[in-house]
Amino acid sequence: MTHNEIVACFPHMANYAYAFKYVCEHGFEVKYLIPPPITKRTLELGARVSPDYVCSPFKYCMGCYLEALELGANCLMQIYGGCRLNYYGELNARILRDMGYEFEFFDMAAVNWKSPKDIIEHFRIINPDINPVKVVQALPVTFRIIEILDEFEDLIRHNVGFEVNDGEFDGTYKEFLGKLENVEDGKELKELEKEYRTRLHGIPLNKPAKTIKVGFVGDYYTVQEPFSNYFMEKELAKFGMEVYRQMNFTNSVIHNQGKKKRKIAKKYAKYPLGATANSTVAEAITFAKEGCAGIIQVKSFGCMPEIDAMPILQNVSRDYHVPILHFSFDSQTSETGVRTRLEAFYDMVEARNGRKA
Ligand code: SF4
């Protein structure tokens, strides 16, 4: 395949596809397919071809790959992490090839990131004629896209529960994403960022001086991909809560806060728990110290690192007198059950805070 024929695609996670698109098109000089937004169909397709007891990120990735292949993607990509995620890429590719699909597969877990030679060798899977200088040149704008996405989404989760006109944050942000998709360089990005920061900050709010703040923690995928946690941040906002979340690409990848978070969590978790579970503990401690009225941990069913974090979070809850609610998600989770537990959580947190929202 020549590089003109390659259509690359990462599985969906939050809105980072816009950053992947930029680096693929401007750095790797190949086309990028933004996969369709995750729906029930994505999960059903993925679950059908996945091992039953595998954690749900695997099933979501499989569903995204199948939808992307239907739309013409022919170079699939997979990230890696500090858990069994490192084996997922190989398994994803084998299952899809056994089903008869033909594609290239760039598995980040297979790369020796300390060896520039190995990195370039693997990058040639995405583009056999790769120019590494172009890739390096595209990185600053790619990282800036990630930072802007995370900054804007933080602003939204703190304020969307108090907007005067329903849907204004959502509408404005969607408009921003539509334009972000076609950004060509750093200058265009700067202008777009300026325009939409002003617009998002200008949205009229009816926000009381004292709000109920909730911390949102959990495994890397479930906490960041809204479909996989049943859009829980939005549900919390509907109750008039201010939602706080630290886990995002800016903190974990660009600022590489893993070490810092392990230090915060040390009193409660002396050893690495795997994946982002030490961060889950550290974030819960930080939110408790900063006065959050409650904390919610979301995780995929069968996620061992987050299961290990659960009893530790109970210790944090006891020491800081903060309620912590745990949610486990699979392809079979009941939406009504999630809503009922959230309502009960809100009632309890509200009563403890002695105020009506
Ligand atoms: S962190 Fe948990 S949910 Fe995510 S891939 Fe690892 S085991 Fe699965």
Side-chain angles (χ1 to χ4, degrees):
M1 221 182 325
T2 68
H3 82 268
N4 292 326
E5 294 162 334
I6 290 171
V7 183
C9 181
F10 259 110
H12 238 310
M13 190 164 98
N15 288 309
Y16 296 119
Y18 298 96
F20 300 147
K21 182 175 188 282
Y22 187 87
V23 74
C24 281
E25 294 189 349
H26 294 82
F28 289 93
E29 299 179 287
V30 295
K31 283 198 201 86
Y32 187 83
L33 175 94
I34 295 189
I38 295 179
T39 60
K40 276 195 177 147
R41 177 181 185 263
T42 320
L43 184 55
E44 276 165 19
L45 283 176
R48 213 177 295 156
V49 298
S50 301
D52 234 12
Y53 284 98
V54 76
C55 55
S56 46
F58 186 94
K59 297 174 185 172
Y60 281 107
C61 289
M62 285 305 282
C64 284
Y65 289 142
L66 287 167
E67 291 187 324
L69 287 163
E70 276 172 10
L71 293 171
N74 53 22
C75 178
L76 308 179
M77 303 190 261
Q78 180 59 287
I79 57 165
Y80 68 120
C83 61
R84 53 186 160 165
L85 174 62
N86 285 345
Y87 307 109
Y88 282 4
E90 199 179 328
L91 194 55
N92 291 138
R94 276 197 197 189
I95 294 174
L96 293 168
R97 287 194 175 120
D98 282 351
M99 290 171 74
Y101 289 103
E102 285 177 16
F103 52 87
E104 299 295 333
F105 199 89
F106 172 66
D107 183 2
M108 288 173 87
V111 184
N112 175 2
W113 292 97
K114 287 184 183 147
S115 157
K117 193 170 160 253
D118 197 60
I119 295 172
I120 293 171
E121 258 333 289
H122 278 88
F123 279 178
R124 286 194 211 288
I125 296 173
I126 306 172
N127 178 355
D129 312 314
I130 189 177
N131 177 352
V133 177
K134 282 261 181 195
V135 178
V136 173
Q137 282 172 345
L139 289 180
V141 176
T142 307
F143 288 154
R144 192 64 203 129
I145 291 174
I146 292 171
E147 286 174 335
I148 295 168
L149 287 167
D150 288 334
E151 181 203 320
F152 285 3
E153 290 182 19
D154 263 347
L155 174 79
I156 294 170
R157 70 176 66 89
H158 297 167
N159 294 300
V160 67
F162 311 98
E163 63 188 355
V164 173
N165 308 310
D166 269 358
E168 201 169 351
F169 272 108
D170 255 10
T172 312
Y173 193 54
K174 263 190 201 137
E175 203 183 299
F176 163 73
L177 293 177
K179 292 185 183 171
L180 184 62
E181 189 175 342
N182 300 314
V183 150
E184 284 295 324
D185 53 33
K187 189 171 168 274
E188 269 186 33
L189 179 65
K190 219 173 185 167
E191 281 163 15
L192 195 66
E193 171 194 356
K194 197 173 160 209
E195 180 190 343
Y196 280 86
R197 182 177 290 112
T198 310
R199 285 186 54 186
L200 287 167
H201 278 279
I203 290 177
L205 299 178
N206 186 6
K207 196 171 180 178
K210 189 185 171 207
T211 57
I212 296 178
K213 297 185 176 67
V214 180
F216 200 52
V217 303
D219 78 70
Y220 203 58
Y221 189 88
T222 311
V223 81
Q224 293 191 81
E225 171 46 51
F227 190 94
S228 76
N229 60 49
Y230 289 33
F231 299 92
M232 197 174 282
E233 292 183 346
K234 272 195 184 158
E235 291 297 320
L236 292 166
K238 280 186 201 156
F239 289 117
M241 290 175 162
E242 203 174 325
V243 184
Y244 282 79
R245 157 150 75 83
Q246 288 187 347
M247 183 54 74
N248 57 31
F249 270 31
T250 302
N251 291 336
S252 61
V253 180
I254 301 179
H255 299 156
N256 196 6
Q257 288 187 346
K259 233 186 201 166
K260 183 180 152 198
K261 290 195 175 164
R262 273 198 297 281
K263 216 169 156 189
I264 297 172
K266 205 159 184 177
K267 186 180 158 207
Y268 291 88
K270 216 166 160 186
Y271 303 104
L273 297 166
T276 48
N278 290 70
S279 297
T280 295
V281 175
E283 287 159 17
I285 295 169
T286 308
F287 291 141
K289 281 186 178 166
E290 287 175 356
C292 279
I295 293 166
I296 291 183
Q297 180 206 22
V298 289
K299 66 175 193 61
S300 161
F301 172 78
C303 172
M304 282 314 291
E306 291 294 318
I307 290 172
D308 288 343
M310 285 171 75
I312 303 171
L313 290 177
Q314 287 309 314
N315 293 340
V316 174
S317 166
R318 182 198 60 218
D319 291 353
Y320 289 93
H321 308 288
V322 61
I324 302 185
L325 183 64
H326 312 271
F327 281 93
S328 208
F329 293 93
D330 190 27
S331 43
Q332 307 296 334
T333 311
S334 142
E335 211 168 325
T336 323
V338 171
R339 243 184 231 123
T340 311
R341 291 184 66 205
L342 269 188
E343 271 169 30
F345 176 76
Y346 171 69
D347 286 344
M348 186 254 301
V349 166
E350 190 197 37
R352 281 167 58 99
N353 271 255
R355 65 169 282 271
K356 281 268 170 219

